[in-house]
Amino acid sequence: MHNLLTEDHVEAYQRDGVVLIEGLFADHVDALRDGITRNMDRPGDYAAENLHQGESGRFFDDYCNWNRIPEFEQVIKTAPVAEVAADLMRSQTAQLFHDHILIKEPGTNKPTPWHQDGPYYFVEGSQTVSFWTPLDPVREATLRCVAGSHHWPKPVLPIRWLSEDSFYPNEEDYMPVPDPDAEGMEIREWDMKPGDAVAFHFNILHGARGNQTSDRRRAFSLRMVGDDARYVERPGKTSPPFPGHGMVAGQKLREDWFPTLFSRRS
């Protein structure tokens, strides 16, 4: 097991689907900040502005840029994130899925809506993990996760963040988006230093408050999968879409697009 972890971290991750890993990216904060600057200067194909006209601040996100932003590729391949991912997932391998940046400038009132990532993706499996690391100190605008929600029997309806309509046509296959604060759910959130990371399962319900402080809130997220992850068909275009991937249902993600970054197998 990597020295950033104890068995308590792994047991908490398996039970609750979310755990704080202090200092996971601590040696890579400057590189990730530089990468975010480069990414925002040259947005990718999936970049989005998530505010309506007249709303205050700026809420920018973009994903799938690691192979064109050298700082992201460097961090992904040199930080201990892949080994930590395998430990938390209790997997022999850790395979890269994609990267994601989420930027809330000062005075951004809009929260990140409550959602599970899994329903948007074309991958399913019990061995999944996302890492969310802030590159600025966060208190009010940190990530909020509902403990144990990865065990819910029915997935939460995926919605589009800006238009707030359903992502897929088959709404009856999902449960409505809950209000964890009003319903008294067990929410995990932490004050975080730059380079700390929240690790959470793809099926954890999570969101974040707006950034009403006078400081930026830059966050880098990395999604990884383990041994049992397989491609699955969805009733519409997924997010990320990865057009032209050529995979079929039940297949492991193709290695040339989604490289294995850590393996305990000989």
Side-chain angles (χ1 to χ4, degrees), residues 11-261:
E11 290 178 1
Y13 186 77
Q14 294 292 318
R15 179 186 66 245
D16 301 330
V18 57
V19 69
L20 176 69
I21 311 296
E22 294 184 279
L24 180 61
F25 292 95
D27 295 334
H28 304 274
V29 170
D30 288 341
L32 289 173
R33 287 173 177 164
D34 290 344
I36 283 178
T37 298
R38 188 189 300 271
N39 195 161
M40 295 183 76
D41 287 343
R42 294 195 303 119
D45 293 339
Y46 307 120
E49 299 286 352
N50 296 289
L51 299 181
H52 293 288
Q53 186 174 1
E55 291 183 304
S56 63
R58 185 186 185 191
F59 181 6
F60 172 89
D61 80 297
D62 197 2
Y63 49 76
C64 298
N65 290 297
W66 68 270
N67 55 1
R68 72 178 191 92
I69 304 292
E71 293 87 351
F72 292 169
E73 183 172 14
Q74 172 201 351
V75 170
I76 288 168
K77 292 183 175 180
T78 59
V81 62
E83 183 177 354
V84 169
D87 290 337
L88 291 174
M89 295 186 292
R90 289 181 174 160
S91 173
Q92 294 298 301
T93 61
Q95 189 174 5
L96 175 64
F97 187 35
H98 73 279
D99 58 284
H100 192 178
I101 65 168
L102 303 106
I103 316 301
K104 289 185 180 177
E105 301 291 2
T108 303
N109 293 324
K110 183 171 182 173
T112 304
W114 289 105
H115 65 287
Q116 294 171 321
D117 289 336
Y120 294 89
Y121 297 164
F122 61 32
V123 64
E124 281 189 347
S126 63
Q127 292 169 306
T128 67
V129 63
S130 290
F131 296 99
W132 184 97
T133 185
L135 305 177
D136 308 281
V138 292
R139 190 167 291 179
E140 296 87 355
T142 190
L143 194 68
R144 311 180 75 211
C145 298
V146 176
S149 51
H150 63 313
H151 294 311
W152 289 352
K154 199 171 185 179
V156 171
L157 178 69
I159 62 170
R160 301 179 194 280
W161 286 6
L162 199 58
S163 62
E164 299 182 354
D165 58 345
S166 175
F167 203 78
Y168 300 127
N170 56 329
E171 292 188 30
E172 67 280 359
D173 292 338
Y174 301 92
M175 64 179 284
V177 181
D179 183 339
D181 291 300
E183 297 177 40
M185 295 179 178
E186 186 177 353
I187 299 172
R188 300 286 170 80
E189 58 183 318
W190 295 270
D191 294 350
M192 298 175 68
K193 304 183 299 297
D196 291 346
V198 175
F200 62 101
H201 193 278
F202 284 5
N203 290 334
I204 280 290
L205 186 72
H206 62 286
R209 297 186 183 91
N211 179 21
Q212 300 184 48
T213 73
S214 58
D215 300 310
R216 306 184 77 188
R217 196 225 64 180
R218 294 166 290 181
F220 176 81
S221 196
L222 190 65
R223 291 75 158 86
M224 308 197 73
V225 298
D227 299 337
D228 72 352
R230 296 293 185 273
Y231 173 74
V232 64
E233 296 285 350
R234 300 292 188 198
K237 185 171 71 173
T238 59
S239 176
F242 293 111
H245 57 73
M247 293 181 290
V248 298
Q251 183 178 351
K252 285 184 68 69
L253 301 189
R254 52 186 294 178
E255 285 277 345
D256 55 336
W257 287 26
F258 307 98
T260 294
L261 301 180

